[in-house]
């Protein structure tokens, strides 16, 4: 059985991992959209202060996820890009899954952001298989939606 301190440390560590994933996902999206990611854009997109972004960027640099080229912006390392793309893939999968069941897309995107960090790899694999099956059988989706409306 875990002690209270172990539970708190585990929770804090998970929150830090989620923040890392969210920042990398945001940076990767900005790079794809604009060709670069600036701290001011990250702060605006994530609704945090520029000093917070600066602190996180230093941490991500030290962890090997990105390179901060002064006056040129941020560049993801292969490690950072892989994790960012993995998170974006999870986000798209969960959003698609929720939309299949009639959740409005903007709500599905918000919920996907909350869900994507904590799912086990086996759960994601099953979710992906089920979503692909449903997408390839639109009559089942239609039948489900008409039965639940």
């Amino acid at each position: 059985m875990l002690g209270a301190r172990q539970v708190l440390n585990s929770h804090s560590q998970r929150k830090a991992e989620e923040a890392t994933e969210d920042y990398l996902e945001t940076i990767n999206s900005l790079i794809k959209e604009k060709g670069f990611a600036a701290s001011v854009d990250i702060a605006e997109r994530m609704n945090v202060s520029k000093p917070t972004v600066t602190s996180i960027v230093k941490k991500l640099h030290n962890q090997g996820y990105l390179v901060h080229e002064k006056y040129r912006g941020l560049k993801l390392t292969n490690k950072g890009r892989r994790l960012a793309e993995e998170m974006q893939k999870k986000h798209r999968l969960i959003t698609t899954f929720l939309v299949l069941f009639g959740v409005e897309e903007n709500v599905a995107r918000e919920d996907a952001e909350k869900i994507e960090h904590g799912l086990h790899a086996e759960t994601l694999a099953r979710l992906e298989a089920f979503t692909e099956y449903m997408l390839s059988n639109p009559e089942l989706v239609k039948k489900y939606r008409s039965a639940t409306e």
Side-chain angles (χ1 to χ4, degrees):
M1 189 161 142
L2 293 176
R5 180 169 289 185
Q6 288 173 308
V7 170
L8 284 174
N9 286 342
S10 174
H11 182 71
S12 295
Q13 182 179 355
R14 186 66 219 143
K15 285 288 187 189
E17 289 172 16
E18 289 177 17
T20 295
E21 292 166 351
D22 287 340
Y23 274 90
L24 291 174
E25 190 175 0
T26 298
I27 292 166
N28 196 42
S29 291
L30 285 166
I31 291 171
K32 286 180 178 181
E33 292 167 20
K34 299 173 73 170
F36 64 93
S39 294
V40 68
D41 296 327
I42 298 165
E44 183 179 306
R45 176 95 36 114
M46 296 191 73
N47 199 27
V48 297
S49 70
K50 193 169 180 290
T52 298
V53 172
T54 301
S55 172
I56 296 292
V57 163
K58 286 179 186 175
K59 178 182 153 194
L60 295 175
H61 173 81
N62 292 338
Q63 292 175 333
Y65 288 114
L66 59 80
V67 176
H68 184 218
E69 298 174 348
K70 223 172 191 167
Y71 309 111
R72 300 185 79 185
L74 305 171
K75 180 179 178 184
L76 292 175
T77 62
N78 287 336
K79 176 182 174 182
R81 191 175 306 103
R82 275 193 306 274
L83 182 54
E85 289 175 357
E86 177 185 320
M87 294 313 299
Q88 288 170 332
K89 180 182 175 189
K90 286 180 185 180
H91 194 99
R92 282 191 306 271
L93 170 62
I94 295 166
T95 300
T96 302
F97 173 79
L98 295 172
V99 168
L100 278 171
F101 291 97
V103 177
E104 289 187 35
E105 190 166 348
N106 61 331
V107 173
R109 278 196 298 269
E110 284 180 35
D111 287 344
E113 183 61 41
K114 296 171 190 167
I115 296 169
E116 69 188 9
H117 300 287
L119 292 177
H120 190 278
E122 181 180 344
T123 303
L124 281 168
R126 300 245 179 206
L127 186 65
E128 183 174 24
F130 184 78
T131 300
E132 287 175 4
Y133 176 79
M134 293 301 285
L135 287 172
S136 65
N137 293 284
E139 70 283 353
L140 292 177
V141 175
K142 192 174 183 178
K143 190 174 182 179
Y144 169 79
R145 286 184 181 167
S146 66
T148 59
E149 290 179 350

